[in-house]
């Protein structure tokens, strides 16, 4: 296997570590010898003791940490084993030379928080490795200890303070590693792995560090590396959910599917691992003077993590259930029902799919009213999306029923989705009674809509307050219709995504020139015909050509993506952002007057300036800033083109006036 294909190039590393190479850190030979000894099959206890003894300070630190001062290093080997002794020596060296020694440049990165995280992950890796029968538990410990080495190197030798890098990433929609890769070209995982490879570490360790934020397959990297990577990923995840992340604030890592594939652990094993590590880590934390959470703080951290992860993964919870598709009973289908199976597939437009299906279902099953509710996973509720009835009196009540909660209160709605089967709602719970009274239905037959990827919602049929009774046996074949509806809705969503991608700029993922022009036109016509407020802003990256020429087009692309991310983050729901061409962007602000638009533009300018200040050392001589021109709608404007030209003229006034400023021009002003 060519390990170089998994690592950043020397050139990429040089573009990240601009303040010097690894050799400039002045690391002791003892550290490198201990690291390299892990690859030597003939290394024994005497070799490790000899390396440690060359540094009296290190030998004493190891003895103090292990509590073996009286018996010496040879006694420690007898007690611990030479692999554990080597791991402890490496731990002490890393703590001394990376944690307690601050980099030459000024930095606000909290290294002790990172050290606490690395220690916990290292201990967890050792215990997980033991549980799953990984061959070398101390190798797993060292991998956990070194998995975030890249963060220390970026902070020490990169142009940016790593804390500033983290702070900026929190203002974007990206996770921290994606942000690093976009801005620097290489993430901390790649930086750490490249360095460990240069230091002669085992291939499995290097790959585990390189891939601990990535997906992977054993057939590509080997079974040993795949299992070690999964061990690090699980340990990292368990640390974060307890509030022991590498930074005080930050996004929780995900737990890739490979973890369960390569680590056959049950919940009891997880609990045992956490209990063992929390007991062991306190001794080391006390030795290094690290604050360690008490049990109350741990419980709070776990609660916070649970809430955070639940919020992010609510939709995924529904998706996972759909891996088990309902087995449709072989129900003989009457001729009208056979035709109904085709109804969802007569269109690829969602609105038409829902209407066609409900119209066909009401006719085939001879019911007066049909409704489709879809699941809103964020609000945890059902939302009324489509209604059909030939009786206008039955349409009105549903228009006022906006949401049906899906909380822990039992109801036929909740059980229909949970159990993936039909239910008859007849008002047995307070929620059922409330819904039944609101819509004027004595009964309602509920059938889950299940697509290939997720549970979409429910088809609800009823005959109003005074209509005929419903019989689930007679509606059994509706399950198959609902299944076809789920498939059709999935196809419609795929088409919608494809259409959206066609309207997106490939680099920044903002609207492209064609789509943003359409949005400006639509907004202009709306305010022209109906009144209201509308503002448009044009902005441009200052000196972008010189920036591009100095640092290269790849770095220029990264800057454009960064500006786009800030624009997207700070633009509210009534705003639309597009890339107008090159380094120029446009923002359409509906329901926004001139003064409010100017304030918005100033917030954008200041946010980019903050990013520029954090990047100042990386892009020496080319500070990042933007110029903005803004205007607003006025009845004197005859077309959207005239409005855009006015904003563009204001932009060039801002550039001609010294750049890094906001200039506004009102129509006729």
């Amino acid at each position: 296997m060519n390990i170089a294909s998994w690592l950043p190039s020397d050139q990429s590393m040089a573009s990240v570590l601009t303040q010097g190479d690894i050799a400039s850190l002045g690391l002791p030979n003892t550290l490198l010898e201990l690291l390299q000894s892990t690859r030597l099959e003939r290394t024994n206890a005497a070799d490790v003791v000899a390396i440690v003894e060359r540094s009296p300070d290190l030998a004493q630190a190891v003895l103090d940490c292990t509590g073996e001062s009286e018996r010496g290093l040879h006694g420690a080997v007898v007690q611990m084993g030479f692999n554990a002794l080597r791991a402890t020596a490496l731990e002490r060296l890393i703590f001394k030379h990376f944690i307690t020694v601050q980099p030459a440049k000024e930095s606000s990165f909290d290294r002790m928080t990172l050290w606490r995280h690395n220690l916990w992950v290292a201990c967890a890796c050792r215990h997980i490795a033991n549980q799953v029968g990984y061959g070398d538990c101390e190798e797993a410990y060292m991998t956990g200890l070194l998995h975030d080495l890249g963060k220390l190197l970026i902070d020490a030798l990169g142009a940016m303070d790593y804390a500033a890098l983290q702070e900026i990433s929190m203002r974007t929609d990206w996770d921290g590693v994606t942000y690093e890769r976009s801005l620097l070209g290489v993430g901390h995982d790649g930086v750490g792995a490249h360095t460990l490879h240069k230091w002669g570490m085992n291939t499995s360790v290097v790959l585990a560090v390189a891939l601990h934020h990535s997906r992977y397959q054993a057939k590509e990297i080997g079974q040993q590396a795949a299992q070690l990577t999964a061990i690090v990923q699980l340990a990292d995840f368990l640390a974060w959910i307890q509030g022991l992340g590498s930074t005080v604030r930050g996004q929780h890592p995900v737990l890739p599917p490979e973890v369960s594939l390569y680590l056959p652990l049950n919940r009891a094993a997880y609990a045992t691992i956490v209990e063992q590590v929390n007991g062991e880590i306190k001794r080391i934390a006390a030795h290094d003077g690290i604050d360690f959470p008490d049990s109350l703080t741990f419980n709070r951290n776990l609660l916070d993590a649970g809430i955070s992860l639940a919020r992010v993964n609510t939709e995924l919870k529904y998706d996972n259930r759909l891996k088990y598709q309902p087995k449709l009973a072989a129900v003989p289908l009457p001729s009208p029902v056979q035709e109904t199976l085709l109804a969802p597939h007569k269109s690829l437009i969602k609105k038409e799919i829902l209407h066609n299906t409900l119209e066909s279902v009401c006719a085939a099953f001879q019911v007066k009213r049909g409704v489709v509710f879809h699941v809103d996973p964020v609000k945890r509720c059902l939302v009324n999306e489509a209604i059909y009835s030939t009786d206008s009196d039955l349409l009105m009540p549903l228009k006022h029923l906006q949401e049906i909660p899906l909380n822990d209160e039992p109801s036929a709605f909740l059980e229909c989705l949970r159990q993936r089967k039909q239910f008859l709602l007849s008002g047995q719970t307070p929620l059922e009674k409330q819904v039944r009274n609101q819509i004027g239905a004595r009964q309602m037959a509920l059938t889950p809509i299940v697509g290939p990827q997720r549970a979409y919602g429910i088809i609800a049929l009823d005959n109003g307050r005074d209509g005929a009774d419903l019989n689930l046996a007679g509606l059994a074949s509706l399950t198959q219709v609902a299944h076809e509806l789920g498939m059709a809705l999935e196809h419609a969503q795929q088409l919608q995504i494809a259409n959206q991608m066609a309207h997106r700029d490939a680099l920044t993922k903002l609207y492209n020139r064609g789509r943003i022009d359409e949005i400006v036109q639509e907004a202009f016509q709306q305010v022209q015909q109906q009144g209201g407020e509308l503002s448009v802003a044009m902005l441009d990256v200052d000196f972008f050509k010189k920036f591009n020429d100095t640092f290269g087009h790849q770095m220029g692309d990264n800057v454009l993506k960064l500006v786009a991310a800030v624009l997207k983050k700070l633009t509210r729901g009534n705003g639309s952002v597009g890339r107008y061409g090159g380094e120029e962007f446009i923002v359409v602000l509906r329901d926004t007057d001139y003064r409010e638009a100017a304030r918005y533009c100033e917030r954008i300018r200041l946010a980019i300036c903050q990013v520029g200040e954090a990047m100042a050392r990386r892009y020496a001589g080319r500070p990042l800033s933007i110029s903005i021109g803004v205007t607003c709608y006025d009845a004197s404007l005859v077309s959207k083109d005239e409005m855009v030209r006015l904003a563009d003229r204001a932009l060039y006034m801002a550039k001609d006036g010294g750049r890094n400023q906001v200039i506004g021009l009102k129509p006729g002003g």
Side-chain angles (χ1 to χ4, degrees):
M1 178 179 59
N2 180 17
I3 192 173
S5 63
W6 298 94
L7 303 176
S9 65
D10 291 341
Q11 183 179 4
S12 297
M13 287 287 289
S15 70
V16 174
L17 307 184
T18 56
Q19 307 299 302
D21 58 17
I22 304 300
S24 66
L25 292 175
L27 299 175
N29 289 332
T30 308
L31 173 61
L32 302 181
E33 289 177 24
L34 284 172
L35 288 170
Q36 290 165 3
S37 73
T38 62
R39 293 192 66 176
L40 303 176
E41 294 182 3
R42 296 181 180 178
T43 300
N44 56 35
D47 296 326
V48 172
V49 169
I51 294 172
V52 174
E53 283 181 334
R54 289 175 200 159
S55 171
D57 290 344
L58 173 61
Q60 189 59 52
V62 171
L63 294 174
D64 290 344
C65 190
T66 58
E68 295 289 339
S69 296
E70 292 185 6
R71 296 197 295 174
L73 291 176
H74 292 280
V77 169
V78 173
Q79 180 68 25
M80 305 168 60
F82 81 90
N83 282 328
L85 177 68
R86 177 171 51 194
T88 302
L90 283 169
E91 172 196 302
R92 294 300 91 203
L93 285 169
I94 293 169
F95 177 69
K96 178 180 178 180
H97 293 281
F98 281 102
I99 305 302
T100 62
V101 176
Q102 291 296 315
K105 68 178 187 181
E106 184 179 348
S107 173
S108 58
F109 185 46
D110 186 349
R111 293 172 167 238
M112 290 301 286
T113 295
L114 175 66
W115 182 240
R116 183 180 68 177
H117 170 72
N118 286 353
L119 281 175
W120 201 98
V121 170
C123 289
C125 284
R126 177 187 282 152
H127 286 285
I128 296 169
N130 183 57
Q131 286 270 359
V132 301
Y134 184 76
D136 190 340
C137 293
E138 296 311 317
E139 180 182 76
Y141 180 90
M142 282 192 294
T143 308
L145 197 66
L146 297 165
H147 79 287
D148 274 344
L149 174 66
K151 294 182 179 180
L152 292 167
L153 295 175
I154 292 172
D155 189 59
L157 299 175
M160 295 183 68
D161 178 349
Y162 194 82
L165 192 71
Q166 287 285 313
E167 185 63 31
I168 297 170
S169 74
M170 293 296 294
R171 297 200 292 269
T172 74
D173 291 331
W174 305 332
D175 63 88
V177 180
T178 302
Y179 180 83
E180 292 168 10
R181 292 169 183 167
S182 178
L183 181 59
L184 304 177
V186 180
H188 72 269
D189 44 2
V191 171
H194 185 281
T195 302
L196 293 175
H197 180 56
K198 292 293 185 183
W199 285 348
M201 288 294 288
N202 291 345
T203 297
S204 54
V205 174
V206 173
L207 287 172
V209 172
L211 298 172
H212 75 275
H213 286 297
S214 303
R215 301 291 302 276
Y216 51 93
Q217 292 183 358
K219 65 180 181 181
E220 296 174 333
I221 65 173
Q223 185 67 31
Q224 182 178 358
Q227 190 174 37
L228 183 57
T229 305
I231 288 170
V232 177
Q233 288 177 327
L234 176 57
D236 193 23
F237 183 80
L238 293 176
W240 275 94
I241 64 173
Q242 295 181 97
L244 298 174
S246 60
T247 55
V248 176
R249 294 191 304 126
Q251 300 96 331
H252 290 292
V254 297
L255 199 60
E258 287 80 6
V259 170
S260 59
L261 181 63
Y262 299 119
L263 303 179
L265 295 172
N266 55 34
R267 293 182 181 178
Y270 288 167
T272 300
I273 289 164
V274 170
E275 183 179 357
Q276 290 172 336
V277 175
N278 285 343
E280 178 182 340
I281 197 70
K282 290 182 179 180
R283 175 185 57 80
I284 306 173
H287 182 274
D288 291 343
I290 301 173
D291 291 332
F292 202 78
D294 56 25
S295 58
L296 178 60
T297 305
F298 261 129
N299 289 335
R300 288 174 178 169
N301 292 339
L302 287 169
L303 179 60
D304 288 343
I307 293 171
S308 175
L309 292 170
R311 186 180 297 116
V312 171
N313 292 324
T314 297
E315 185 171 356
L316 182 61
K317 181 177 74 171
Y318 288 100
D319 289 346
N320 284 342
R321 290 177 182 163
L322 295 166
K323 292 177 181 175
Y324 308 97
Q325 294 293 333
K327 295 182 180 179
L328 306 178
V331 180
L333 299 179
S335 180
V337 177
Q338 291 178 342
E339 295 177 7
T340 301
L341 289 174
L342 301 176
H345 301 291
K346 292 180 179 179
S347 174
L348 281 172
I349 301 172
K350 184 168 72 170
K351 184 176 180 181
E352 294 178 1
I353 291 171
L354 295 173
H355 175 82
N356 293 342
T357 303
L358 288 178
E359 181 181 25
S360 182
V361 163
C362 287
F365 293 96
Q366 298 182 343
V367 294
K368 292 184 178 180
R369 177 168 56 187
V371 186
V372 168
F373 297 100
H374 84 263
V375 173
D376 185 327
V378 177
K379 295 183 178 179
R380 285 188 59 80
C381 68
L382 286 169
V383 179
N384 169 23
E385 186 167 28
I387 316 166
Y388 177 82
S389 178
T390 56
D391 186 342
S392 59
D393 291 338
L394 293 179
L395 294 177
M396 291 303 296
L398 266 297
K399 293 181 179 179
H400 301 294
L401 180 64
Q402 299 299 320
E403 299 176 354
I404 300 173
L406 293 173
N407 47 33
D408 293 332
E409 181 182 349
S411 71
F413 294 105
L414 187 60
E415 293 308 311
C416 176
L417 290 168
R418 279 180 173 172
Q419 299 185 36
R420 301 291 190 264
K421 69 178 187 179
Q422 292 179 305
F423 274 83
L424 188 65
L425 182 147
S426 54
Q428 295 180 355
T429 69
L431 177 60
E432 291 178 9
K433 292 177 182 177
Q434 177 186 344
V435 174
R436 189 188 64 176
N437 292 335
Q438 275 188 285
I439 65 176
R442 186 164 53 85
Q443 293 177 318
M444 185 173 267
L446 308 178
T447 303
I449 305 170
V450 180
Q453 297 299 321
R454 66 187 184 97
Y456 184 84
I458 289 174
I459 295 179
L461 303 181
D462 75 279
N463 285 317
R465 195 180 300 278
D466 303 317
D469 287 345
L470 297 171
N471 183 351
L472 286 184
L475 296 172
S477 55
L478 180 59
T479 304
Q480 298 184 52
V481 179
H483 178 67
E484 294 300 320
L485 176 57
M487 295 285 290
L489 290 170
E490 186 70 25
H491 295 158
Q493 184 181 34
Q494 292 172 358
L495 178 64
Q496 183 182 16
I497 292 172
N499 289 336
Q500 289 174 348
M501 292 305 295
H503 292 149
R504 295 287 175 177
D505 173 63
L507 178 67
T508 64
K509 302 301 184 287
L510 300 177
Y511 288 123
N512 59 24
R513 174 69 178 267
R515 179 54 186 148
I516 199 68
D517 267 336
E518 292 176 353
I519 291 173
V520 178
Q521 179 66 31
E522 293 164 3
F524 187 87
Q525 288 180 341
Q526 182 180 8
V527 73
Q528 194 177 43
Q529 296 168 6
Q530 303 175 17
E533 303 285 356
L534 175 66
S535 296
V536 170
M538 298 285 290
L539 61 102
D540 184 285
V541 179
D542 293 333
F543 298 112
F544 184 72
K545 185 178 185 305
K546 292 182 179 179
F547 192 100
N548 233 4
D549 292 342
T550 303
F551 301 105
H553 292 282
Q554 181 62 52
M555 291 301 177
D557 287 349
N558 287 341
V559 167
L560 293 178
K561 289 191 285 187
L562 178 61
V563 171
V566 173
L567 284 170
K568 184 179 178 182
K569 189 77 172 179
L570 296 184
T571 302
R572 300 169 307 180
N574 62 344
S576 300
V577 186
R579 185 182 179 192
Y580 216 58
E583 69 274 23
E584 199 169 47
F585 300 84
I586 183 171
V587 185
V588 184
L589 300 166
R590 297 173 186 262
D591 302 319
T592 306
D593 62 23
Y594 178 78
R595 182 173 297 180
E596 189 178 354
R599 286 197 295 266
Y600 159 84
C601 291
E602 183 62 15
R603 287 197 301 273
I604 292 290
R605 187 192 69 81
L606 290 174
I608 296 297
C609 278
Q610 288 178 342
V611 174
E613 289 171 3
M615 295 169 57
R617 285 196 291 263
R618 174 143 179 77
Y619 303 113
R622 290 279 177 260
L624 176 63
S625 64
I626 58 173
S627 300
I628 308 178
V630 61
T631 191
C632 61
Y633 173 79
D634 184 85
S636 63
L637 298 174
V638 297
S639 70
K640 64 96 177 172
D641 292 333
E642 191 175 352
M643 189 175 186
V644 171
R645 281 196 297 270
L646 194 59
D648 199 44
R649 194 172 78 181
L651 168 61
Y652 277 89
M653 290 173 64
K655 294 172 75 69
D656 291 341
R659 292 180 168 79
N660 192 19
Q661 60 180 315
V662 178
I663 295 292
L665 277 180
K666 288 185 176 181

